Structure formats: structure tokens, C-alpha cells
Amino acid sequence: MTNPTDPAVDSPGKPNLTLQCGLGDSTPIDIAAPSTPRTPADEGKEFFLSERSEGEAPIRVYEFKLGADGGPSKEGSYIRLPPAYTPYILRVSLDAGTPASKNGVFKTNFPLDGGAFERDRFTERSLPTDLSKPIRVDLPISHAGAFVYWVEYDGDAPGERIKGREGYFNVDPILRVRARTSVLSSELKPLLPSEGGAKLLPELVNLPLDALSILTVVSKWMGRISHWKVHFQEASDRGYTMLHWTPLQERGMSDSPYSIKDQKKYDLSVFDTPVDPQTASTRMEEILRIAKEEYGLLNLTDVVLNHTANNSPWLAEHPEAGYSPSNTPHLTPALELDTAILEFSSSLSGKGLPTRVSCQQDIDTLMASFADHLKTKQLWQYYVLNPEEEKAALTDAFLSNAIIPWTGEDLAGKTVVDLANVVRSARLIEGEGTLTSRFVTHVDGGVSAGFIKAAFPKLGNDVDALAQAWARVVDVLNVPLYAEWEEDTEIALDSIKNRSKYIRLDDNGPKLGEITKDSPLVESYFTRIAPQWHSDPGTYSLANNGWLWNADPLVNFALPPSKAYLRREVIVWGDCVKLRYGSGPLDNPWLWEHMTSYVTHSAQTFDGFRIDNCHSTPLHVGTAMLDMARKVNPDLYVCAELFTGSEEMDLLFVRKLGVNSLIREAGNAWDVQEFSRIMYLFGLGKPIGSMDEACMTSVEELAPPFGKGPTRPCIVSPLNGSTPHALLYDLTHDNESYLDKRTAEHALAVAGIVTFGYCAVGSVKGFDDLYPKLLRLVEEKRQYEVAGLSDNSGISRPKRVLNSLHREMVIGGYTEGCVWRDSNYIVMTRMHPVTQHAYVLVAHTAFEKRGKERGPFKPSELARTRAKFICGFAIEILSHEGLPAKLIDLPEVPVEQKNLTSEPHCSFGPPEYFPPGSIMIFETQLEQVDLELDKFCKSDAESAFGGLDLVDLNVVLHRADNEERDITAGKFGVYDIYCGLEGWMHPLRHITRRNDLGHPLCDNLRRGTWALDYVVSRLAYQMDDFPNLAAPVQWLLDRFDRVKSNAPAYLRPKFFAIVMTEAYKAARRAVIEQCSEFVSDGHDFTHSLAMCAVQMHGVVKVCVARPTAGLPHFSTGWARCWGRDVFISLRGLFLATGNFEAAKNHILAFSSTVKHGLIPNLLDSGRNPRYNSRDSQWWMLQNIQDYVKMAPNGLMKDNGFNIDIYVDWDTGLVFGGNADNCGTWMDKMGESVRAGTKGTGAPIEITGLVKSTVRWLDELSRKGKFPYRGVERSVHSEDRFVTYGQWNDLIQKSFEKHYYIPLDPSEDQKYILNPSLVNRRGIYKDVYGSGAGREWSDYQFRPNYPIAMVVAPEMFDEHHALHALRLADTVLRSPLGMKTLDPSDRKYRPNYDNSNDSDDPSVAKGLNYHNGPEWGWPLGYFLRAYLYFDTRVGEGKDDPTTTLHRLHRALLQPRNHIQTDAWAGLPELTNENGAFCRDSCNTQAWSASTMLDFLEDVHEYAKS
């Protein structure tokens, strides 16, 4: 069966992006080739512009979300995408209003608009500018390669453009091979080639990278090219799909395939008769074509970019291609040291020294003598200053009057040591550390003359005395330089000693023989290629390549400041000269042209590259070469082995080079646990029962990515970022055999385990044949034996089955797996996620020599599953050398059928004879598979949940514990946070995105059906109160009953997740569809805030009113419903979301409770309402005004209530409140003494609300829509009728004078204030006219004035207002809200703890509630005010987007919080700098409401 996400067979309706011809005709078919060749990108564009074809499958869309700064997360910095069998879409999305969206431009070097790929040519897509809607950019992907992207956007400074972090996406190549029949018979028995098993078929199939089975071969051991077909047949019969060829080029003198003599010539020795290079190339290409077309074997070769053979003929003509002292001068002393080793090695017998090493004493003797020899070379001269030359240069400067006066610090009287320190700190020394020549380190004579003259003024012009003084300074300067030389020499000698011991004495070394000039003490670091005896050795002595322990792969160890060659730290390859590319082609034109020609020709010939020594390949070289290779072969497969020692560094190479697979080695595992870990990391695929594909994908309509063309259906899948794909080898060609590393028997177990990995797999010729030892690439002269599948072919028959099954399982879509270990056993399972058909491998590992006992193993128990034995093998090693060996076919292993826990089970385990190294394979099939269960669970959710109203949806989606217990009389509570769907979705989002099947919820679901029963039962119980729940209850019941009946326990988490996810999506859609256009067309943050309206608006029995102030603290009882909270929240949660009926009902409900002009602050269901606030009624009046303006037909009839307040009719300001009254939201009533945050004056927010109300009433009155013109009042003991217009004018006239605190103290006389109480200027007072003894509270800087700015902006001087807002932005704004008090205020206490019972009166009983803790809801008013004033007189006056983007930055943390917090809301308050506050409601109505208010303002602003 084909995996729809990684298809192996062409789907109908797709363009023919990769042209294939019939196997009977090797000539490519020419289809009207245009004059300008069409590229894959052109074909992809053409596809999206063309009309849909009949039967065309939905387009795949892979969506990746960027961060606020336009860059990917660390884990998302690399994305691996599937082959473009059919063009698809990479969708890049980011949240609206994030910094990166400010005039943002998405850039990538993928040729989105067609044409050929060029690394430095970028296509741009402008990001949408609507801040109210999600930002998406759809990128049509049509071909393979490695690509980079980033977002560029406006910064804060004028004209500044910011480049976001780069991200990378690699598209897998399309590989196609001949199809094959199954390797198993209909009775599940392995078939040999003669029996038709795994027979090659004429048609071609797409081969995903995971289906690759690669065999490494060394051509020089394959005999003549005419004999290669038998090797092809053997590899094909053994189930391989690709041959990895070590380099086929002409080899250098060492005969190593990796020491290439001429990159443009194939090895002529493989041909039967002498041929010229061109004929050799043609015949080599032909034999590789035969391997591919006749034997189903793709071809991959090593590409060696780092070095060339030391006898490459072109080196003498182009010595600049290597590193020499001539072009890399710091190598000069390293060459001298290397020459000294050669001299010493050729003189041993004359000195009476041992010429053969037989013991450690010989090594010590030789090294002691060499150390003496090295001293004669005086290499210290490359480090230090020459005192005599320094004195001479100084003297010459005096005599030629070339003194450069010293202008630095006073030097007179300083010691010689101090003077030396000044010389160093002033950087007067030239040439230090360059090592380019002897005594290159020096100080300019004119500089030293001026310096020493200033240091010794008493010496006057006595040149000799001054020269001697300078020499003393030079002696001090040389001290650390001599020390550096001594350290380098010590390290070099130690390296030479260790290396000589390894190559001449150690048992695991090559044990080289006599020491001579041609076989020196240690390998030479330089190849000397001088064409003539008099040629310059500095030009024709080229550094050999090698590697360093723990080296930074990004640092070229042949370039300064590296001293690796001088310190003899390079593990050198004496047969290879390191190539010098420079920074680009201009630095070495011939070499770049030569190597580019080599690479492009190889890319035309082969299907893939293995980048040899990739970690030492300069990144810019590898990138450029692979770019050129992909131009001639866009579907080139690239793999590499990296030894960087860092996953992060590995990823850097993968991203930059476009490496498709990183080579991993199973042989690195030292025990069962480590092997299991390797297989889990690189070969698991997805765990069995994975949910991401089922739960995270969505079906949508795809708009034409080019603006033209048809709309297409699409399937959208989110991306999390990728890890590098693995090519997992059981054994590589340069590693010791398992006989040497573990045991010979272990090989079969490793082969089985590796091939059951969902990844590309590889092996080396000889592993299947059980070759006992590593074949040395240089020394080995024998040729391969072709054993086929014969009795003496080692484990080739099992390997044929394993390789074939590996290919069949990947192509068939067996994406899910399990790795399980038990004692010395590893069990690998590969399962198809739909059919539940699986193959199981049981492998008995043999990491160490043990007896032939089976050992402990717990048999596999599989519920509702039938199993059948396929085959099993063991090997008997007949010699401790590893060969010969006997392959044993295990007899049929019976499967036991039994009943456990009322369900049928099958059980199987190893037979009695199952020695270490054995494997067996079973087929399993879940019985009575419900193939339609997935589809059924996803069906009809819209109709089931679409009929629910918002109160019903509160029951379905939310309900805190106390709410649920209240309405169900204690029968139901919560599992975690909410009883409804939102409570389940918090863990499920993580589980489904990461396939975290080890989560406790999954364990709970596997153990039983309690969660399923709970979800249905709690809703069914409440159907009498909420009859609309009948439809969702029945929908859930139908699906869960079918899951219980048809899904085994291990799949229960998956299907529970599918049902809950579909239900949640349908319920959430039902909410959004009942909301206003502002919400329904908005982005995710708007939607999540709108969900809070449903969260807060539910029914409980003990409280008549529905809204709660916050959860969980205000869920039920007397504390649920607060007048002030309702009316601060009503605009955002009800009016902005379009729930006008609920808004009206709440206004009317509270209007009915008016008493003495007040409404209750705490309603308590009407039983004991508390009329203890003086701002609640003003908030209600503001809401009535908002309702009238926002709701259709919103003008309500007069309800005839009057408001009894105290007004200062000289100013129009409203005063009131007392010590026992919670006058405003900041006047908390404590248990001991009052918090004391506001006095009895006129709070600025009430003044703003009053101003807004009387202004509005005046407008209504003038239009005849309100029957009252004003109020009857006693003003200065005289009854007067004050119109609303007059009242409005009084406030307007007096406001700034009474509230503003000017920046400039000289302006204080214009305002009513006491300068001695001013703490901060350029702000507005929080209160005007606090009572006696509390006058200081007027001047506190708090976040209340933005409320007045929003409801009555006309009161404020616009420039004053904007300055105060900017101050609030820097002083008061916090991550999730606003500080309730200026941190510079002496009463500032930012951390709230209601349980504090200390003797500190400022915090006891939580009385610092509003003296520093950071409340959420004022943030919305601050943002609204800032938007208003900044677009009028600030940065946004000329460009409003500047303001909008600035303010949207303040939304980043609230947005992240609501999306990640389990309560799915915004908290009531936080402690200092956004820290969690345990006494806060986790989700608060007004916190979400005012944020919706701001976003609705933005929406309306954009519309206007």
C-alpha cells in the first residue's frame, strides 16, 4: 500500500517532471524541446497555473510557523521536505503584527517563479500587511535541492532593515528504480530468484530515501569491468537497490581509491584491453547504466574535494593548488621541521641509532637524539625579535633622522618590564606569530627610537646607550616568545613520539619496518614535487592532508593562526596533498575549474554522491560544487559521514550542503541499550499509534500561489522542524569487522535490526559473506569472491529477505515502528498505520561471547492479532577466526493462540535453539480491522456541534471544577483543568504534535476506557438543562462505542485523540461562526481571546447570572459575579464578539438592581448585593454607550434611574467614596486594614467615564433620543439646572489643570499641584483631591489614566498624553499586563501573596494587591490609548503602521501565554516581571476582554 505522504508510484494528473523511458530503449525521448530548456521550477509553475485534471489528488501543503522575529526556532532551523513527485506547497506563516511583519519581505533562493536555481539569486514575496488576519506565504515546491530563506523587515530606526535568522529547507531527490515482485510467497515463505522472489519488473517506481539499501564496493577488488555483471547480479539478488562505489578514478601511488591521481580519468586498469580516457569514460558510463537498468541498482560514488594524490601530474604545473610556504608562509618552519625529520631518518645508522623499533627504549633513544638534532635548526628564530637587528634598526633611525615621536603615556621612570608591557599594549610589535620567516617579529626602527627616547630622556641623544636600553626591553619582549617556541616544540616532539610508537611499535598499528629517508620516523607532512633540482622548495613543497582530533570543522588547519603542521598535530595522509581553494574561484581559477569539471561529470554519471571527508571540506567549496552538480542532475542524492562531534555542527553541514542523509553506524553500539537507542533515534519512523497525521492535518482550499490559476483542494500538515535523515550502516568499508569489535555471530543480528529501521540502510561487500577482517584499502590486493546466495555465502540469504522486506515495507507505507529490548534481545516492529499489518523481527544480539543458550525472553503477547512465522536464521561459526561459518535455517516457530482478559491473544517467542546472533521474522495482522474507523471518527462533527449556542458551548468546551460540581450536584469534576474539550486539548496538542505516546494520558487510555466514558457521561447528564447537547452526545457516543469495540488498546489513544480533536475543532468553529466579522476574519489570537468569552459565560445553579470574573477562584457562589468586572469585560467579550443579546441582558439585569444611583459591585445572585463601589455604575453607563454604538438597533429605552453623586460644580469632577468603601478597582477591602491605594478624591478613570457619559448624553439629548437635558443640582447653595453639555464643558476646561504634572517645573503655576509631593513628571495624577493625610496618593504613577484617554480622549492635551503613555510603556508595562504602581514609588511591592500573615503592613493579607503586582486588563486600555494619540501626534501620524507594529510587540507574550497555558486564557495578574502568582485567577474575564477591545480598534482602524 502506498503511503500518501511519501508516494512511491506516480499519481494521476501530475506533470511528468522526471522523464523516464522504457527499458527496451536506452535513448531518451525528445518531446519538442524548446530553445530554452524548461527547468523543474518552470514545470512546477505551469502545473499550478494549469486547470485541474480529472482525478487530481489534493495538493499537499506543509506549513511551518516562524517566530516573532521572522526566524525559525532552533529546532525548526532545518526542514526536510519530501520529493516533489507532484508539486506541493511549503507554507510559511507568522502571527500578524509581529515585528517581522513590518513591511516584511520573505526571501528565498528557491526559484519560485521558475527558471534555474542560483544560490545568490533570491525570489521575494511581500508579507500581507493586514494586522487583523493571519500571515501566510505559499511557496510552490517542484524540485530537489538545498535552499535558504529569511524574512527582512523594518527596524525601529528610520531606514533600518533587519534580516531575520536564516532557515533552511532541503527537498529530497526523486529516485526511480525498477519495480520488483514480493520476496515472499503467498504462504509468506521467502522465495529465491529462481522461484520468482523479488523479481525485477519492467516498470519504474519511485524509491523514497528510506527504501534505499546501499552496498559499498571497491572497484579494484571486482576484477575487470567485463566481470562486473556477476557482482551486479549478486548485489541485486541480495536485495540491494544502490551501489556505493569508492572512487573509480585513476589512483595515486598508494593505490588507495581516495588518493585520486587524475580526477578526470577513470582507472584504466579495470579494462580488459588498453583504452584511451574518452573510451574509458564512455564504457564506464555504459556499465553503470547496465547496473541501473538491467539489475535495478542505482549508483553512488565518493566525491573527494579535499585532496588529490601526491603524485597527481598536474601538481607540478599548478603548485598553487596546494598549500606551500610560498602561498601560505606560516608553513615555512613546519616544512623545516619536516625536512629535519627526513634528514634525521636517513642518518640513523651513521649515528649508531636503532633503525628498527622493537621496544619503548628504542623510541625514547630516537626521540632524545632527534630533539638534539632539532635544536640545531634554531626554529626559535621564527618567534622572537633579534636584539642585534633591533639595535641596528634603532641606530639607523637616529642616523637618518627617521625617529617617530612617542605620543602615548608618559614613559619616563618606568621599569624595563613596564616598558615591555606598554610596547605590547600599544601593539608596536610587527610580524609576531606570523612565523613567515626568521626574525619576522620586529619593531620598526623609527618607532623604537621614539619610544626609547621618551622612556630615557636623561640619555639625550646617546645612540649607543639608547640602543642598549632598547635591547633590554627586547629581551623582556622575547621571554613569552621563547616560551611559545618551547611549548610548540614540546608539543611537536610529543606528537612525533606518539605517532612513531603507533606506526612502528603498537600492536594495533601498521608496524612499519626499517627507518629510512623513504620511510622516515613518522610520515612526512609535505609532498616535495620540485620538477628540477634547483626549483624553489617553498613553492614545490605541498602540505599533505589529514585530520585533527576535536578540531573545529569550520577552521582550516592549514591556514594561520593554526599551527597544526608545526606542532605535528595532523594525523596525516601521506599520499594526499591538501587542496587550496581560497575564498572563491578568483583565488585559484585553475583548481576551481578542474574540480568543478570533475564534480559535474560525476553528477551526470551517478545518481548520488558520498562526500568524502565532508567535515573537513570547506563549506563554501562543498556548497559551490554541489550547486554545480545539481544543475546537471537536480535529483542527485547526497550523503556524508560527519565527525564534527556536535549535532549542531552536523546540522550546519546538512543545511548548507543539502546533505540528504548522514551516515550512521550500528557498529558504534556497545550494548543492547545503546543499539536500541540508535534504532529509536534513526530508524523508528513514527511510533505505532501515531496521531500527527490523523489529528494535525486539515483539508482546505488552496488559493493559486501565483495569483492566477484554479483553486485546488489541499491537505495542510504542520511542520516541527527536522532532524537529518539517516543512512544506517551495519558496517562501513573503513571499520573493523564484528569479529574484531564484538563477535562474529553478532553480524546476523545487526543485519536484521538495521534493515527493520525506517531509514536508508547500508552495508559493505564482505559483511554478508562474513569476511573475518577489515579489508585495507591500500594494502589489500585480493579480489572479491562472488558467492551469490550459495551455501558458503555467509548471511546473504537472510540479507536478501531483509533488504527486500525493507524496500517493500517503506514503499508500502509501513511508517510506524516499535523498538523493544529484553535482556539480550531487540524486537523491531514495522506496521502499516491503516491496515495494522506488520512484520516483527526478533533478534538475539551477541555483543560478547556467550554460550548457545537462548537466554531469558518474555514472549510477545499481541491482543486480537494473528501471527505467522516467516523465517528464522542462526549462524554457527566453525572457527574462532570467523570463517568458515554455517547458516542454519530455523524450523517453523509455532504461534500460540490463547484468551487473556476476555480477548484473544497470540503469543510467540524464540524456540529452544536460538543462540546469540539468531533472528526470526513474523507477520502479524490485527483481526477485524475497522478500516473506516479513522474516517468515521472524523465525520459529521460540524452537524453535531453546529447547532449549539454559546452557553451550550461553554458546557462542551470548558467548565472549571467547581462549576461542574455545582451544576451536576457533585457528580462530575475535572481530570485536570477543564471538564470540557479544552481541558483535554491542552495535553493532546503536545501529544499529537510530538507523537508522545509515553504521556500519562496515553497510558491511562491504554489501560481502560474511563476517559471515553467520562466525556460522554458528563454531557449526557446535563441534557435536561441543555437539550441541545443531545446531538454532540450522540455523536461522541457513536464514535467511542465503535472505538471500544474495534480498536485495540494500543490504538485507543490515537482514536481518542482523533475524536476529541475533531470535536474541539467543530466546537471552536461553532463559536467563531457565531461571532462578529472582526472575530471570524481574525487571526488565531483573536479567536483564542473570543473563546474566553465562552469560557466566562456559563450557567451555574447557585448563581443566577452567567458571567464569571475569572477562573478558578470566581467560579461559583457569592464571588462569581462582580458588577465592575462585568462591565469592564462586557465590551470586549460580548460587544466586540457580536454577542449583543447577552450584553443587553446583562445591562438590563444590573439596571434592575440600581439603588441610590449605584449598582452592586458584588451581586451574590441578588441575595446580598454589595453596593460598595463608586465606579461600577460609570462602567455600566460606558457599556450602555458602547452597546448603543456597536449593537444593531442598540438604543434602549430610558429606565428612569438617577445617579446620586457628589459633584464639584466648579470643575465638574465627581468625588466620593470613604474609608469603608471599595470606591474603584484599586480599593481592595482587606481582612485587617485597608490597602490604601486610593482616597476619596476624583480618580482619573472615573473622571474619564463621567466625561464620556455626559458628552454622550448631551449628544443624545440634542438629537432628541434622550428625554433629559441635564440634572437639577445645588450649586453654591443655589438650585441650578446643569445641562449635560455644561457639565461636559466644565470637565473639559478643568481637566488638564487639575490632573497634569508638567515636565518643566517652571510651568507648575499653570496647574494645581504641590511640587513637594511630585515624584515623577510628565504624567497625569491618579486621583485629584484625596483626603487629608493622603494628598501624596494623588501623585502616584499608576496605569489608570489610559482608561480616561480611551473613553474621553478629548480631555487630554495630545502631546502631554503621548509623553505620559511613552513613560508608561517604559516604566509600567510588563510582560502580561501593567504594573499597578511606579517601581520608584516607596510603596511599590510587586509580589502578591494573599496568605502572607507577617507583621509587614504593606504586604500582610495581600494588601499590596494594587501596589505593584502586574494586572492584565489595564494593558488593553494602554494599547488603545497609545494607538489613538500616537497616530495623531506621534510616530504614527505619517505612517500608522509604525504605531501598530510597536503596539503589537506588546501582544507577543500574551499571545504566547494564551496559546500555551492550560487554562487557555490570560491571568488576572502576575507578580514581578510576569512571574506566576498563585493567588491570581489563571484566566480572567477583563484581561481577555480589553485585549479584544484593542484588536477590535485595530480592525476598525484598518477598515477606515
Side-chain angles (χ1 to χ4, degrees), residues 975-996:
Y975 259 68
D976 187 12
I977 301 296
Y978 291 115
C979 301
L981 299 174
E982 186 66 63
W984 298 98
M985 287 309 299
H986 179 67
L988 284 175
R989 286 187 191 100
H990 165 80
I991 293 168
T992 55
R993 195 173 187 94
R994 306 292 178 186
N995 284 322
D996 182 10

Side-chain angles (χ1 to χ4, degrees), residues 907-1049:
S907 173
F908 56 83
E912 283 301 317
Y913 179 77
F914 200 70
S918 302
I919 64 169
M920 58 181 180
I921 304 172
F922 292 84
E923 179 225 41
T924 69
Q925 174 64 63
L926 182 69
E927 295 185 326
Q928 300 177 340
V929 177
D930 187 344
L931 295 176
E932 297 295 318
L933 183 55
D934 189 316
K935 182 178 178 180
F936 176 69
C937 288
K938 293 181 178 181
S939 64
D940 300 327
E942 297 280 351
S943 59
F945 291 86
L948 302 180
D949 63 27
L950 294 177
V951 175
D952 297 328
L953 288 162
N954 169 268
V955 181
V956 169
L957 284 163
H958 299 105
R959 283 276 185 82
D961 189 57
N962 287 338
E963 292 178 302
E964 185 82 353
R965 294 185 185 280
D966 176 89
I967 201 71
T968 65
K971 184 172 180 63
F972 292 95
V974 299
Y975 259 68
D976 187 12
I977 301 296
Y978 291 115
C979 301
L981 299 174
E982 186 66 63
W984 298 98
M985 287 309 299
H986 179 67
L988 284 175
R989 286 187 191 100
H990 165 80
I991 293 168
T992 55
R993 195 173 187 94
R994 306 292 178 186
N995 284 322
D996 182 10
L997 301 183
H999 192 280
L1001 175 57
C1002 295
D1003 184 60
N1004 177 281
L1005 289 162
R1006 285 188 290 266
R1007 289 174 180 270
T1009 64
W1010 308 290
L1012 288 70
D1013 298 335
Y1014 168 88
V1015 170
V1016 175
S1017 299
R1018 67 166 289 266
L1019 293 178
Y1021 185 83
Q1022 301 178 61
M1023 285 169 50
D1024 289 344
D1025 294 323
F1026 305 96
N1028 290 340
L1029 296 182
V1033 165
Q1034 190 61 50
W1035 185 89
L1036 289 165
L1037 185 63
D1038 290 345
R1039 277 139 191 84
F1040 283 153
D1041 281 350
R1042 190 157 161 181
V1043 170
K1044 291 177 188 177
S1045 300
N1046 296 357

Side-chain angles (χ1 to χ4, degrees), residues 122-384:
F122 297 93
T123 306
E124 297 185 357
R125 292 287 189 268
S126 295
L127 302 184
T129 57
D130 188 343
L131 299 180
S132 298
K133 296 183 178 180
I135 295 175
R136 292 174 177 171
V137 179
D138 286 347
L139 313 176
I141 303 300
S142 52
H143 66 86
F147 311 98
V148 65
Y149 69 87
W150 70 86
V151 174
E152 189 177 281
Y153 54 97
D154 285 349
D156 292 333
E160 179 188 18
R161 292 290 285 175
I162 295 175
K163 178 182 176 181
R165 293 189 310 281
E166 290 182 347
Y168 299 83
F169 62 95
N170 293 357
V171 183
D172 282 354
I174 296 174
L175 301 177
R176 292 170 68 83
V177 295
R178 288 179 63 178
R180 291 174 181 258
T181 60
S182 175
V183 75
L184 300 178
S185 69
S186 57
E187 290 78 28
L188 296 178
K189 295 306 173 188
L191 296 171
L192 292 170
S194 59
E195 299 168 322
K199 177 184 177 182
L200 288 168
L201 299 174
E203 61 267 22
L204 299 175
V205 294
N206 294 320
L207 191 71
L209 300 192
D210 292 311
L212 285 170
S213 294
I214 300 176
L215 179 67
T216 297
V217 293
V218 180
S219 63
K220 70 174 185 175
W221 298 332
M222 293 173 65
R224 302 293 185 185
I225 198 170
S226 58
H227 187 63
W228 285 8
K229 289 183 182 180
V230 296
H231 292 281
F232 297 164
Q233 187 67 61
E234 180 185 75
S236 182
D237 287 346
R238 293 181 179 184
Y240 291 100
T241 55
M242 177 178 274
L243 292 178
H244 161 220
W245 300 86
T246 57
L248 293 169
Q249 282 76 18
E250 186 178 7
R251 297 184 293 278
M253 64 172 60
S254 70
D255 204 34
S256 167
Y258 293 95
S259 178
I260 300 175
K261 183 177 181 181
D262 192 332
Q263 287 75 12
K264 293 185 178 182
K265 293 180 181 178
Y266 286 113
D267 174 22
L268 301 182
S269 68
V270 302
F271 296 96
D272 299 275
T273 59
V275 295
D276 61 81
Q278 182 57 49
T279 302
S281 180
T282 301
R283 291 184 61 184
M284 188 64 74
E285 291 168 10
E286 174 64 14
I287 195 68
L288 295 175
R289 183 194 64 78
I290 289 172
K292 182 175 181 178
E293 296 185 1
E294 297 184 17
Y295 296 92
L297 297 169
L298 299 171
N299 296 285
L300 173 144
T301 187
D302 283 284
V303 173
V304 183
L305 300 175
N306 271 312
H307 53 247
T308 191
N310 59 357
N311 64 330
S312 292
W314 49 264
L315 280 176
E317 299 173 18
H318 296 281
E320 77 279 3
Y323 291 93
S324 68
S326 176
N327 57 45
T328 314
H330 87 295
L331 293 176
T332 304
L335 177 60
E336 284 205 41
L337 172 57
D338 196 65
T339 301
I341 294 173
L342 298 181
E343 294 172 351
F344 177 74
S345 299
S346 63
S347 65
L348 297 185
S349 58
K351 295 180 179 181
L353 295 170
T355 59
R356 292 182 179 272
V357 173
S358 60
C359 61
Q360 182 64 44
Q361 184 177 350
D362 290 342
I363 295 287
D364 295 339
T365 300
L366 289 169
M367 288 309 303
S369 180
F370 178 70
D372 293 337
H373 178 70
L374 186 60
K375 290 177 183 177
T376 67
K377 302 302 179 182
Q378 297 183 324
L379 296 184
W380 51 267
Q381 294 178 354
Y382 285 91
Y383 294 79
V384 303

Side-chain angles (χ1 to χ4, degrees), residues 393-409:
L394 182 145
T395 301
D396 287 346
F398 271 100
L399 295 178
S400 61
N401 198 27
I403 302 171
I404 300 174
W406 171 253
T407 58
E409 62 182 286

